[in-house]
Amino acid sequence: MLMAMGSPDGPERYDAVIIGAGVIGSAAAFELAQRGHRTLSVDKLPAAGFGSTSNSCAIVRFSYSTHEGVAMSYEGLHYWLDWPRYLGVDDPRGLIGFNQCGTMLVKREGGHHEKVVPLLHRLGIPYEDWDVATMIERAPILDPGAYGPPKRPEDDAFWDEPDSQILGGIFTPESGYVSDPQLSAHNLQVAAESCGGEFRFGAAVVSVDREADRVHGVTLSDGTVIRAPVVVNVAGPHSYLINQMAGVYDSMNIKTRALRHEVHHVPAPAGYDWERRGFHVQDGDTGVYFRPEVGNNILIGSEDPECDPREWVDPDHFDRSVSDAQYRAQVLRTARRIPSLPVPDDRKGVVDLYDVSDDWIPVYDRTDLDGFYVAIGTSGNQFKNAGVAGHCMAELIEACQAGHDHDRDPVVVRGRYTDFELNLGFYSRNREVNPDSSMSVNG
């Protein structure tokens, strides 16, 4: 256990400071606190999960292109299935619900499923291989046309009728989505507090302090000085700024930056109960993903196809209004797969940020500054892994603080639920860009 210290006159002292109280930061705080560490979570926003977590599509799926990605996401599923027992406490605001609607990954010639299926099979994850007839039987509103590669509506070829069909879909019945992403972070805050963890909101970090070659704590914008032998950067889209404060940004081979992203909401086709009969669809052929949403709506996100511009932004200054161009692109792409989809003129949706690494795979690691750890590059695809990511970070921190050389001999964590081996070296800050990454996001 890290040694807690305190003084009534000097700086505040904790075992660990966690910068960021989104769903992964709150999970890391809970995991450390329940191991007996005295933690302080600081966040510049007014509540847990108030930043990019609140606008997450909160999809839990296993359709990754790497063994490690599939294994971690399937382990992560079980935290949501076991949520009340995992937390061990009640939240006065209630606990999140997990909607286990399943995911259909569109099969197309040369598609993403060719990487995914062998991994599902190897890890023993249940899946169904649907042909087109089965897909239409399960969801008659879906059109089987092959429209790819993804295009934008201003491209004349966007409107061409397909001359072939997709191959069907790979359906994973255990996947789904979390009903209230912000509440999930609050649930974790309450659980951490029940173990002695503390949270401080409206608290911006202005300095990551060091003593010689070790982290020494942080200083807040109000002048408060906090001393701790461990600081964990889980600052989401602001993570690269915190790394710059800590002086570790340049020494990391994998960097992160903030990407502006839009998600849109439209009604389901009239007379079709997509909220209850529908499922999450991952459609690389049209370049979108969509899932059921409360009120018989459909939530639509982008897979970031190559034809779409990427807008890298300052996380404190970006346009939060839904744009007409991206609304049309995403909704009309979905309308190719669902021809009866309404396309309202009244644009509804949310705009927020992803914290994106160079290969869209997160960094769960120590850094060259002893005691300073990172759980970054997580936005857009790691919400589902909050529980297991928090567990892995706690295991990593305890090992390194006890003297383990993680860079030379990567920490391997056993999954609590699946017993899968999770090699944290895969998420190293010093890795090369992973060629097996899909370089995109799907909730």
Side-chain angles (χ1 to χ4, degrees):
M1 181 188 302
L2 303 171
M3 296 301 295
M5 298 180 289
S7 167
D9 301 317
E12 298 182 37
R13 298 183 182 274
Y14 292 85
D15 296 333
V17 174
I18 298 96
I19 303 173
V23 68
I24 294 178
S26 298
F30 175 41
E31 289 285 344
L32 285 169
Q34 69 177 348
R35 286 165 166 79
H37 305 297
R38 186 165 179 256
T39 65
L40 174 66
S41 297
V42 296
D43 198 300
K44 66 191 295 185
L45 296 173
F50 204 77
S52 55
T53 289
S54 64
N55 289 323
S56 171
C57 295
I59 294 167
V60 179
R61 49 98 183 179
F62 331 117
S63 45
Y64 285 90
S65 54
T66 65
H67 173 94
E68 292 81 3
V70 175
M72 194 167 191
S73 60
Y74 194 62
E75 169 71 16
L77 160 73
H78 293 81
Y79 284 78
W80 302 112
L81 294 175
D82 194 37
W83 196 243
R85 193 165 70 89
Y86 168 61
L87 297 178
V89 294
D90 290 325
D91 184 338
R93 299 185 188 176
L95 299 181
I96 58 92
F98 178 59
N99 299 280
Q100 203 164 26
C101 61
T103 288
M104 188 193 78
L105 170 63
V106 167
K107 290 194 303 178
R108 59 192 177 95
E109 293 289 347
H112 184 59
H113 72 284
E114 294 181 358
K115 291 183 177 180
V116 173
V117 171
L119 297 171
L120 296 176
H121 183 73
R122 182 187 310 163
L123 289 164
I125 298 172
Y127 69 92
E128 302 169 14
D129 192 343
W130 292 356
D131 58 16
V132 166
T134 303
M135 180 189 79
I136 294 174
E137 178 184 355
R138 291 293 298 268
I141 62 173
L142 298 182
D143 179 271
Y147 294 96
K151 309 169 189 67
R152 295 189 66 80
E154 53 267 30
D155 182 343
D156 290 342
F158 179 90
W159 305 99
D160 291 346
E161 290 303 311
D163 55 13
S164 62
Q165 292 189 337
I166 58 174
L167 306 176
I170 300 298
F171 186 73
T172 47
E174 293 179 287
S175 56
Y177 63 96
V178 172
S179 59
D180 188 334
Q182 184 176 359
L183 180 60
S184 67
H186 190 266
N187 289 168
L188 288 161
Q189 175 191 344
V190 171
E193 289 172 336
S194 75
C195 300
E198 299 178 31
F199 285 71
R200 193 169 304 177
F201 298 105
V205 172
V206 295
S207 173
V208 176
D209 305 327
R210 63 167 67 204
E211 187 175 71
D213 59 352
R214 290 197 57 84
V215 78
H216 196 43
V218 300
T219 301
L220 305 181
S221 56
D222 65 0
T224 300
V225 175
I226 300 165
R227 293 289 170 246
V230 168
V231 175
V232 191
N233 177 5
V234 204
H238 291 80
S239 67
Y240 75 96
L241 298 173
I242 299 297
N243 284 341
Q244 289 173 349
M245 283 185 199
V248 302
Y249 179 84
D250 290 335
S251 66
M252 298 175 65
N253 194 52
I254 298 292
K255 307 290 198 296
T256 62
R257 49 184 172 163
L259 177 67
R260 182 184 178 277
H261 225 263
E262 299 189 22
V263 172
H264 304 116
H265 301 254
V266 296
Y272 194 87
D273 191 353
W274 184 257
E275 184 177 356
R276 291 176 177 81
R277 297 177 61 188
F279 39 82
H280 165 228
V281 176
Q282 184 175 344
D283 190 355
D285 181 64
T286 61
V288 295
Y289 63 88
F290 51 95
R291 68 158 175 82
E293 182 62 288
V294 66
N296 202 29
N297 291 306
I298 297 179
L299 181 151
I300 302 170
S302 172
E303 286 202 336
D304 294 276
E306 290 184 4
C307 60
D308 283 5
R310 287 179 174 171
E311 188 176 350
W312 305 102
V313 298
D314 176 341
D316 291 313
H317 303 93
F318 66 97
D319 186 354
R320 287 187 173 271
S321 58
V322 174
S323 68
D324 180 68
Q326 197 60 15
Y327 173 81
R328 281 177 49 80
Q330 293 181 189
V331 176
L332 289 173
R333 284 170 180 155
T334 308
R336 302 253 69 179
R337 188 63 63 215
I338 307 177
S340 56
L341 185 76
V343 184
D345 291 331
D346 181 20
R347 304 192 304 269
K348 293 183 179 179
V350 295
V351 178
D352 217 314
L353 300 179
Y354 287 165
D355 179 33
V356 180
S357 77
D358 293 331
D359 57 6
W360 292 72
I361 293 172
V363 182
Y364 298 128
D365 203 359
R366 56 158 292 162
T367 67
D368 290 351
L369 176 61
D370 284 347
F372 186 74
Y373 298 85
V374 292
I376 62 177
T378 59
S379 295
N381 62 34
Q382 291 293 295
F383 176 97
K384 63 182 68 61
N385 288 336
V388 63
H391 174 57
C392 287
M393 289 302 300
E395 293 287 296
L396 173 69
I397 290 166
E398 288 196 326
C400 291
Q401 292 302 108
H404 184 82
D405 187 346
H406 174 61
D407 290 339
R408 182 183 61 81
D409 179 20
V411 171
V412 177
V413 177
R414 281 279 180 184
R416 278 192 177 117
Y417 297 96
T418 63
D419 204 38
F420 290 161
E421 285 192 352
L422 307 173
N423 186 332
L424 300 190
F426 177 79
Y427 301 100
S428 169
R429 70 199 184 282
N430 292 326
R431 67 179 184 263
E432 297 300 322
V433 168
N434 193 315
D436 291 326
S437 173
S438 61
M439 300 294 181
S440 64
V441 70
N442 201 270

